[in-house]
Amino acid sequence: MRKWTIPSALLLLCLLSLLPDQGRKLHASAEGSPEEVVDPPKVEEKIGAVPTGLSTDSDVVNREAESISKRSVRSNAEKFEFQAEVSRLMDIIINSLYSNKDIFLRELISNASDALDKIRFLSLTDKEILGEGDNTKLDIEIKLDKEKKILSIRDRGIGMTKEDLIKNLGTIAKSGTSAFVEKMQTSGDLNLIGQFGVGFYSVYLVADYVEVISKSNDDKQYVWESKADGAFAISEDTWNEPLGRGTEIRLHLRDEAGEYLEESKLKDLVKKYSEFINFPIYLWASKEVDVEVPADEDDTSDEEESSESKSSEDEGEDAEKSEEEDAEGKPKTKKVKETTYEWELLNDVKAIWLRNPKEVTDEEYTKFYHSLAKDLSDEKPLAWSHFTAEGDVEFKAVLFVPPKAPQDLYESYYNANKSNLKLYVRRVFISDEFDELLPKYLNFLKGLVDSDTLPLNVSREMLQQHSSLRTIKKKLIRKALDMIRRIAEEDPDETNDKDKKDVEKSNDDDEKRGQYTKFWNEFGKSIKLGIIEDATNRNRLAKLLRFESTKSDGKLTSLDQYISRMRSGQKDIFYLTGTSKEQLEKSPFLERLKKKNYEVIFFTDPVDEYLMQYLMDYEDKKFQNVSKEGLRLGKDSKDKELKESFKELTKWWKGALASDNVDDVKLSNRLDDTPCVVVTSKYGWSANMEKIMQSQTLSDANKQAYMRGKRVLEINPRHPIIKELRERVVKNPEDESIKQTAQLMYQTALLESGFQLSDSKDFASRIYNTVKSGLNISPDAAVEEEDEAEEIEAESDTKEAAATPKAEDEADAVKDEL
């Protein structure tokens, strides 16, 4: 054995010395072959590649491989201690139990984008600062190595000097750092990671060893490395590929972070967080292609054997083809699947909000909306608003009105916190859960806000306290309401009759016709909720209200159009609430109003009852519910005389209804054909509101009693029934039949006015008594009783009927046995 030990060891050393050079040749030939990749980048462009001209001796290569495999800091590096606050921050991150580890890639791409922004800004005054060749390409490249579990992110930004590496990656250069760390430690919100020098440390959510290779125009190329053990090291980089300029970050991923070595995962993260970064983001992605290779002899023989099983005609054709190929001297080939790699652009959707709105086409807005809202339909958004806000707070925004409302838009209106508005800070996606940017009633809008004023480390709690929030929210609401108003202004169906002809002539296509009606049918309830919730913009929102009325001919109309049709001298806007338009059109409350040519608005949505409690007036016109007290239709000279002549009847009737809690009996100025109705007090619930409240799942009748309006019976002094009652009361106020009639008329008026009866049995008995009287049947006539003999016969018939099927079943059983 000893004889063979020394020669074997020498042979092994020779083989090892040959391996690095062979590996480099194979690597260069595999990645640089023009036949496999179309327009491949140069070797120098690829992260981690080692060009032949820059190769180092085998000792350096072995030492580097040993360092990477052990994930240990290089022995010749200069050691530094982290700032105390940084160590605390890293402890929080490393020991984090939170699931949102994805943000590390967002932060690294954001930092790379900042570095590219800085070098681009400097190049405006010094064009030579970008250098030449590949250094002029301002992009971000992501590459992964599954075998070594390394994820690399590279940019050609401004780069960092040795001092920059120490300053930016070893300390948190900001006042109040301790308070910042305390806030993060208590709140546990990983979105707090986001400030330059802080966002970088999110890498330790997924990695246990990190290398930062950086080259600035003002210094040599250096490597920063750390295992997050309270220290870091910096050394001059003499073994990696020269970057030219920029920074490359290599993450040696933990075992449990293997998902970030999947291309699909990285693509999803870039699309989610960094889709609109202002620089191209490339991923070194794999791709399978069909490649023709020379066929082996075994494959040729297999093909010949398989061809023998074919028909003779096919054999003849194959033979002719092979003779032709042999004649031409072409070798036989076969197609195989081969994996190639190339740079794939991930953020191909352009950030259109950074462009001038005049330069963006409708098709681009529509495409952007479908990408942003993940809307797979072909429908265009109803409207959009693209604007830039300047001043103390600068931001750009694009808002869209979707063509359809989500099915669950109002199901969890007050419980849902998610907003459809995405927040970006300098093109970096922060969150879509900031519902403070828009009020809840506008949460159907989709879009984004990109602010250069807000800090990257913005969280939900910090945003609520940020001084810029109120300004952004105020401007967004104003722009959103202007956008909705513009839908109505551009809709030919919404214009006044005077302007219709001009509009029809100026609009050749009917694309915008009926758009506001479509909007109202989808999102009208949100406008009503806005009037309830937003006192500041209540008048603006009221202009967007739409409804049907007694003069709208089945179409929607607005408050402005209603006011334009008001009669001279009319001071109030009349409306009526109920469950349906058909029911309201038959309401007795409209009789006199229709006769006098007054227009009445129909509110049929349950939320309208709440709406009118907040919308008290519009354009100095008060709202008047025609089913409540206070209706004024002008004074009649005979009112005083009528009131005096019916004084005895109203007083008697009020006494007769004392047990029904009727507050008063008055003469009515709203009835024409109906003898009487029941109205409520001005500030109490209407009949429709009572129904709504009673239908609530957790309603309490006892607690709701004080909110019910006082009921007033209004009688029509011109109706013959009322006149006859007055005469009979004058003759004999104690007549029991008159009291029964008065009670029945009140209960009938309750039903016709929309109320529910507390005692339906009593009402039915009074109706039956009235029918008896009409048929001249004595009130004492009793129901004829059933004879006992008939009951016995009925019982026997039942028994016989039950016995017959049993007998038939027994007979069938006997037949089966025979």
Side-chain angles (χ1 to χ4, degrees):
M1 284 297 291
R2 291 181 180 177
K3 294 180 181 180
W4 292 102
T5 300
I6 295 174
S8 299
L10 291 173
L11 179 60
L12 182 60
L13 286 173
C14 293
L15 289 172
L16 286 172
S17 63
L18 292 173
L19 281 176
D21 294 334
Q22 292 297 325
R24 277 194 299 275
K25 291 176 182 177
L26 290 172
H27 182 74
S29 62
E31 294 186 349
S33 175
E35 295 180 1
E36 296 176 4
V37 183
V38 180
D39 297 330
K42 297 178 182 179
V43 175
E44 287 80 357
E45 291 182 2
K46 300 172 188 176
I47 300 174
V50 181
T52 307
L54 300 171
S55 59
T56 57
D57 56 56
S58 58
D59 292 336
V60 174
V61 175
N62 291 335
R63 188 167 64 249
E64 173 66 12
E66 182 182 359
S67 174
I68 292 175
S69 64
K70 292 182 179 180
R71 297 187 177 184
S72 59
V73 178
R74 294 172 180 83
S75 57
N76 62 339
E78 188 177 355
K79 308 295 191 303
F80 298 88
E81 293 292 327
F82 278 118
Q83 184 186 8
E85 285 82 358
V86 176
S87 296
R88 292 177 62 196
L89 179 63
M90 294 175 72
D91 287 339
I92 295 171
I93 295 171
I94 294 169
N95 299 315
S96 173
L97 299 177
Y98 307 109
S99 58
N100 190 19
K101 300 180 185 295
D102 297 347
I103 62 171
F104 83 92
L105 188 62
R106 177 190 80 182
E107 299 303 328
L108 293 184
I109 291 177
S110 173
N111 289 347
S113 177
D114 288 342
L116 290 167
D117 270 326
K118 290 177 182 178
I119 195 66
R120 183 172 61 179
F121 177 76
L122 293 175
S123 68
L124 296 177
T125 54
D126 184 6
K127 294 182 179 180
E128 295 181 358
I129 200 169
L130 289 178
E132 299 178 351
D134 295 336
N135 288 334
T136 60
K137 297 179 181 179
L138 302 182
D139 55 16
I140 301 169
E141 298 172 347
I142 303 173
K143 198 171 185 180
L144 52 87
D145 187 334
K146 291 186 178 181
E147 292 183 4
K148 296 179 180 178
K149 295 183 179 179
I150 298 176
L151 175 64
S152 302
I153 296 96
R154 174 180 176 176
D155 65 76
R156 291 186 174 87
I158 195 168
M160 289 182 280
T161 63
K162 180 180 179 181
E163 293 301 318
D164 291 335
L165 288 170
I166 298 172
K167 179 182 177 182
N168 294 335
L169 304 185
T171 63
I172 304 178
K174 184 185 178 188
S175 60
T177 298
S178 298
F180 173 80
V181 175
E182 290 291 338
K183 180 72 176 175
M184 180 178 173
Q185 197 166 12
T186 55
S187 69
D189 188 355
L190 287 180
N191 273 307
L192 289 171
I193 304 168
Q195 193 180 19
F196 183 75
V198 176
F200 164 77
Y201 299 110
S202 61
V203 296
Y204 291 104
L205 290 166
V206 296
D208 53 13
Y209 173 57
V210 178
E211 295 176 276
V212 180
I213 307 164
S214 193
K215 172 68 172 70
S216 170
N217 288 339
D218 300 329
D219 205 346
K220 299 177 182 179
Q221 183 166 312
Y222 284 90
V223 175
W224 179 100
E225 51 188 332
S226 175
K227 296 176 65 179
D229 53 0
F232 62 93
I234 296 179
S235 54
E236 184 179 346
D237 187 5
T238 57
W239 53 87
N240 287 307
E241 171 193 0
L243 298 179
R245 186 194 66 253
T247 302
E248 178 184 342
I249 300 177
R250 293 177 183 171
L251 309 183
H252 297 256
L253 300 177
R254 300 177 182 179
D255 293 336
E256 62 270 20
E259 60 179 319
Y260 300 106
L261 291 171
E262 299 296 330
E263 293 178 9
S264 58
K265 177 68 174 180
L266 296 178
K267 290 178 182 178
D268 291 341
L269 290 182
V270 171
K271 194 169 186 65
K272 179 179 180 181
Y273 290 109
S274 308
E275 187 175 17
F276 304 115
I277 286 289
N278 213 20
F279 300 97
I281 303 172
Y282 293 97
L283 174 67
W284 188 244
S286 60
K287 182 181 180 182
E288 283 195 350
V289 295
D290 291 329
V291 180
E292 288 193 0
V293 297
D296 297 334
E297 292 182 1
D298 294 340
D299 296 334
T300 306
S301 62
D302 291 341
E303 290 177 3
E304 289 175 355
E305 291 177 2
S306 62
S307 65
E308 291 176 2
S309 62
K310 296 181 182 179
S311 62
S312 58
E313 183 179 350
D314 292 338
E315 288 178 358
E317 292 178 358
D318 293 340
E320 290 176 2
K321 288 180 181 179
S322 63
E323 288 176 2
E324 291 176 1
E325 289 178 356
D326 293 340
E328 295 175 2
K330 292 182 179 179
K332 293 183 179 181
T333 61
K334 63 178 180 179
K335 287 187 177 181
V336 296
K337 293 287 186 181
E338 189 170 301
T339 301
T340 61
Y341 289 85
E342 60 183 18
W343 292 114
E344 180 180 341
L345 182 63
L346 301 183
N347 56 338
D348 56 343
V349 179
K350 301 300 180 183
I352 65 170
W353 67 88
L354 300 177
R355 296 163 56 188
N356 189 331
K358 295 179 181 179
E359 299 174 356
V360 185
T361 64
D362 291 356
E363 290 75 16
E364 287 178 308
Y365 278 121
T366 302
K367 181 181 177 182
F368 180 71
Y369 164 76
H370 287 150
S371 172
L372 184 72
K374 304 297 186 288
D375 187 348
L376 302 179
S377 68
D378 296 329
E379 290 189 81
K380 291 176 60 177
L382 294 178
W384 54 80
S385 179
H386 180 188
F387 61 94
T388 301
E390 297 178 348
D392 295 338
V393 179
E394 295 185 359
F395 68 92
K396 296 177 175 63
V398 181
L399 302 176
F400 293 94
V401 178
K404 289 184 179 180
Q407 293 182 350
D408 59 346
L409 179 59
Y410 303 109
E411 288 180 5
S412 56
Y413 178 77
Y414 289 105
N415 297 325
N417 291 324
K418 187 175 181 180
S419 171
N420 288 315
L421 206 61
K422 297 179 183 292
L423 175 64
Y424 286 77
V425 175
R426 295 190 288 278
R427 271 79 65 201
V428 178
F429 173 67
I430 300 300
S431 178
D432 58 0
E433 297 179 356
F434 287 126
D435 55 336
E436 291 85 2
L437 286 175
L438 277 179
K440 283 185 179 296
Y441 69 88
L442 290 177
N443 63 1
F444 64 89
L445 296 178
K446 296 183 183 294
L448 61 84
V449 176
D450 186 359
S451 172
D452 291 336
T453 308
L454 293 173
L456 267 177
N457 60 327
V458 56
S459 69
R460 183 186 181 88
E461 292 79 9
M462 292 181 67
L463 184 61
Q464 288 174 333
Q465 302 171 3
H466 205 280
S467 59
S468 302
L469 174 63
R470 288 187 295 274
T471 305
I472 294 176
K473 185 174 183 178
K474 184 178 179 181
K475 291 183 179 180
L476 286 175
I477 293 174
R478 189 177 72 249
K479 288 292 185 179
L481 297 184
D482 288 344
M483 172 177 61
I484 297 171
R485 176 180 51 80
R486 201 165 57 247
I487 301 176
E489 291 177 349
E490 295 176 356
D491 187 348
D493 291 343
E494 287 287 318
T495 57
N496 294 326
D497 295 335
K498 296 178 182 179
D499 303 328
K500 271 190 177 180
K501 293 181 181 178
D502 297 335
V503 173
E504 287 174 0
K505 289 179 182 178
S506 61
N507 287 282
D508 297 329
D509 58 347
D510 294 335
E511 184 180 353
K512 295 183 178 179
R513 186 178 297 278
Q515 287 291 87
Y516 195 78
T517 300
K518 183 178 179 181
F519 165 82
W520 184 257
N521 292 336
E522 295 290 338
F523 307 107
K525 194 186 293 281
S526 294
I527 302 300
K528 296 175 182 178
L529 290 169
I531 293 175
I532 295 171
E533 299 170 5
D534 191 353
T536 305
N537 295 288
R538 190 162 289 157
N539 193 57
R540 284 172 176 244
L541 289 161
K543 288 183 177 293
L544 303 175
L545 272 180
R546 295 296 182 270
F547 41 79
E548 291 187 66
S549 72
T550 53
K551 291 186 177 180
S552 65
D553 298 326
K555 297 180 180 179
L556 295 178
T557 188
S558 66
L559 287 173
D560 289 329
Q561 292 171 339
Y562 177 95
I563 291 175
S564 68
R565 295 192 293 262
M566 286 176 63
R567 286 186 53 178
S568 60
Q570 181 181 344
K571 297 180 180 179
D572 296 333
I573 299 174
F574 300 129
Y575 72 92
L576 184 61
T577 60
T579 55
S580 68
K581 177 189 172 186
E582 291 73 20
Q583 175 222 350
L584 295 179
E585 285 177 330
K586 300 173 184 177
S587 172
F589 296 110
L590 300 180
E591 291 176 356
R592 194 85 179 276
L593 291 161
K594 281 184 176 179
K595 191 172 183 179
K596 288 183 173 288
N597 199 31
Y598 285 103
E599 184 175 5
V600 181
I601 295 169
F602 295 145
F603 284 130
T604 57
D605 194 337
V607 76
D608 292 334
E609 285 284 357
Y610 301 92
L611 166 71
M612 299 314 296
Q613 294 177 23
Y614 292 87
L615 190 61
M616 308 301 293
D617 58 76
Y618 178 78
E619 301 291 342
D620 298 327
K621 305 288 184 183
K622 298 288 184 181
F623 285 92
Q624 173 62 51
N625 189 334
V626 298
S627 69
K628 290 186 176 184
E629 283 186 312
L631 180 65
R632 294 173 296 178
L633 298 177
K635 293 184 179 180
D636 192 335
S637 59
K638 297 181 180 180
D639 285 350
K640 290 185 178 180
E641 297 177 9
L642 279 172
K643 188 175 182 180
E644 190 65 29
S645 63
F646 280 88
K647 185 176 181 179
E648 188 173 352
L649 175 63
T650 54
K651 185 178 179 180
W652 172 86
W653 210 333
K654 181 180 178 181
L657 299 175
S659 61
D660 293 282
N661 296 321
V662 175
D663 189 60
D664 202 359
V665 179
K666 297 180 179 180
L667 298 186
S668 178
N669 64 343
R670 69 188 85 210
L671 297 177
D672 188 48
D673 300 325
T674 303
C676 56
V677 290
V678 178
V679 301
T680 55
S681 57
K682 190 171 183 65
Y683 299 105
W685 286 347
S686 65
N688 188 53
M689 188 63 175
E690 281 192 24
K691 288 180 183 178
I692 293 171
M693 296 308 296
Q694 288 171 2
S695 64
Q696 300 298 315
T697 306
L698 303 177
S699 63
D700 188 339
N702 295 326
K703 292 182 179 179
Q704 293 176 3
Y706 73 94
M707 280 302 297
R708 293 196 183 98
K710 295 179 179 179
R711 295 177 181 178
V712 176
L713 177 65
E714 288 192 358
I715 59 176
N716 184 357
R718 294 172 297 278
H719 199 282
I721 294 178
I722 303 300
K723 288 181 178 180
E724 183 63 25
L725 273 177
R726 181 184 61 174
E727 298 299 328
R728 294 199 181 193
V729 167
V730 170
K731 290 179 181 179
N732 185 10
E734 300 301 325
D735 188 345
E736 192 64 31
S737 63
I738 298 176
K739 290 183 179 180
Q740 293 293 329
T741 302
Q743 189 72 32
L744 178 60
M745 289 187 67
Y746 171 69
Q747 290 178 331
T748 306
L750 277 175
L751 286 175
E752 194 172 17
S753 302
F755 293 94
Q756 292 181 341
L757 295 176
S758 58
D759 190 352
S760 57
K761 179 66 177 177
D762 180 61
F763 174 71
S765 298
R766 294 181 191 278
I767 291 292
Y768 294 143
N769 289 335
T770 303
V771 173
K772 285 180 182 179
S773 177
L775 297 174
N776 295 322
I777 300 173
S778 173
D780 300 327
V783 178
E784 185 177 351
E785 294 185 2
E786 189 176 5
D787 294 337
E788 291 183 5
E790 292 179 357
E791 290 181 2
I792 294 171
E793 289 178 3
E795 288 178 3
S796 62
D797 291 342
T798 304
K799 289 179 181 179
E800 289 178 3
T804 301
K806 185 176 181 181
E808 290 178 354
D809 292 341
E810 290 177 354
D812 292 339
V814 171
K815 287 181 180 179
D816 292 340
E817 289 179 1
L818 294 174

